[in-house]
Amino acid sequence: MAHYFEIKKNKAGEFVAYFKYNSESIFWTEGYSSKASAKNAIESIKKNGPGAEVREAE
């Protein structure tokens, strides 16, 4: 699969969820103190993301 989520620890020791496409980071979450919280963020993105509107800054 060309796109996937990856959870890694940052330099501060927090868990960050990265969305990658062809191994390139497209976006990432804030840092979380637990891996479970990072997994919850991924589930929230998957659930709420498809219906999100697109806004353009003026």
Side-chain angles (χ1 to χ4, degrees):
M1 185 174 281
H3 54 282
Y4 57 93
F5 285 97
E6 180 176 71
I7 298 173
K8 299 190 303 187
K9 277 192 172 183
N10 63 15
K11 291 180 181 178
E14 302 167 317
F15 294 94
V16 179
Y18 294 84
F19 179 76
K20 295 189 168 192
Y21 182 77
N22 289 335
S23 298
E24 183 178 339
S25 293
I26 304 299
F27 68 85
W28 50 91
T29 66
E30 63 184 279
Y32 295 98
S33 59
S34 71
K35 189 181 285 187
S37 294
K39 288 181 179 182
N40 285 339
I42 291 170
E43 291 306 313
S44 178
I45 292 165
K46 291 165 87 175
K47 177 182 174 187
N48 300 305
E53 64 181 276
V54 176
R55 296 184 182 177
E56 294 186 29
E58 295 181 26

